[in-house]
Amino acid sequence: MNPEPETIAEMLDRLSEIVPDYPSAGISFKDLTPVFADGQGLRRIVDEVIEPFRGQFDVIAGLEARGFVLAAAGAYATGTGMITVRKAGKLPREVFRDEYTLEYGTGTLEIHRDDVAPGTRVLILDDVLATGGTVGSAVRLLELAGAEVIGVGVVLELDGLGGREKLDGHTVHSLQLV
Ligand code: AMP
């Protein structure tokens, strides 16, 4: 008899690393870089994170930096474009800017004003949803540009931090709740 195929949660448990007290005391950092470094792992998380949204988006927005990995791969796989949602000061032309709070600090995100045409249907991807501050900021930026955020996809969703509730009204798809 064939063994049962590995579930996505089993694959993530096998490949991802948990780093205690990083980047500061009390934070349990979920490091997905070994999943990115694994050929089957990368393909599987990208395919599964975009799956419920197939056919519903024109472009994928990735959040700097680990969201870029997922968004670029997903955009390539679906023949769509990619928007880079960047940390402050990286984009050379006129930007929309939004300040937000995250699990361990504050930040500012920016997009180029002309990267998204009004009415564009956007899927947002990132590696980890914690408090939802980062994704919430990206939603505000894209909506400011006139885009329609059709959904949010993340690999890991941290339980008990209220991220999903903060994104109330938007469809959130996570591959594993941890
Ligand atoms: P938040 O804005 O609180 O939802 O935080 C999400 C952002 O911070 C994502 O871009 C994650 O990459 C990163 N992040 C927050 N908490 C963690 C964590 N415990 N492990 C790994 N990444 C995290």
Side-chain angles (χ1 to χ4, degrees):
M1 251 192 16
N2 286 334
E4 288 288 316
E6 188 178 42
T7 66
I8 190 83
E10 287 166 347
M11 192 270 287
L12 289 168
D13 286 343
R14 176 170 59 83
L15 290 174
S16 54
E17 294 284 344
I18 311 295
V19 185
D21 297 319
Y22 182 88
S24 54
I27 302 294
S28 167
F29 191 86
K30 314 295 186 269
D31 177 17
L32 292 176
T33 58
V35 187
F36 295 164
D38 184 278
Q40 286 181 347
L42 178 63
R43 174 164 290 187
R44 194 159 173 204
I45 57 172
V46 171
D47 283 347
E48 296 203 19
V49 87
I50 62 179
E51 185 54 35
F53 306 108
R54 274 183 189 274
Q56 297 174 34
F57 56 89
D58 307 306
V59 74
I60 301 182
L63 309 195
E64 186 173 357
R66 292 179 293 272
F68 289 177
V69 175
L70 302 166
Y76 186 83
T78 54
T80 61
M82 188 211 153
I83 306 292
T84 57
V85 180
R86 302 215 59 181
K87 293 171 181 163
K90 306 278 189 182
L91 293 170
R93 294 179 297 106
E94 271 204 82
V95 294
F96 290 118
R97 175 173 300 138
D98 188 83
E99 286 187 15
Y100 65 102
T101 55
L102 41 64
E103 196 187 2
Y104 42 80
T106 63
T108 305
L109 289 183
E110 295 178 345
I111 56 170
H112 270 142
R113 281 186 178 244
D114 59 4
D115 269 353
V116 198
T120 303
R121 299 170 305 162
V122 182
L123 170 64
I124 296 176
L125 295 184
D126 202 5
D127 63 338
V128 174
L129 179 69
T131 64
T134 312
V135 172
S137 174
V139 168
R140 284 192 297 276
L141 278 175
L142 290 159
E143 290 182 346
L144 201 58
E148 180 196 354
V149 175
I150 63 93
V152 174
V154 294
V155 178
L156 299 181
E157 177 180 354
L158 305 190
D159 202 11
L161 292 179
R164 184 177 286 266
E165 293 70 32
K166 185 173 272 179
L167 301 173
D168 195 24
H170 290 93
T171 305
V172 178
H173 171 54
S174 64
L175 301 186
Q176 192 184 21
L177 186 65
V178 290

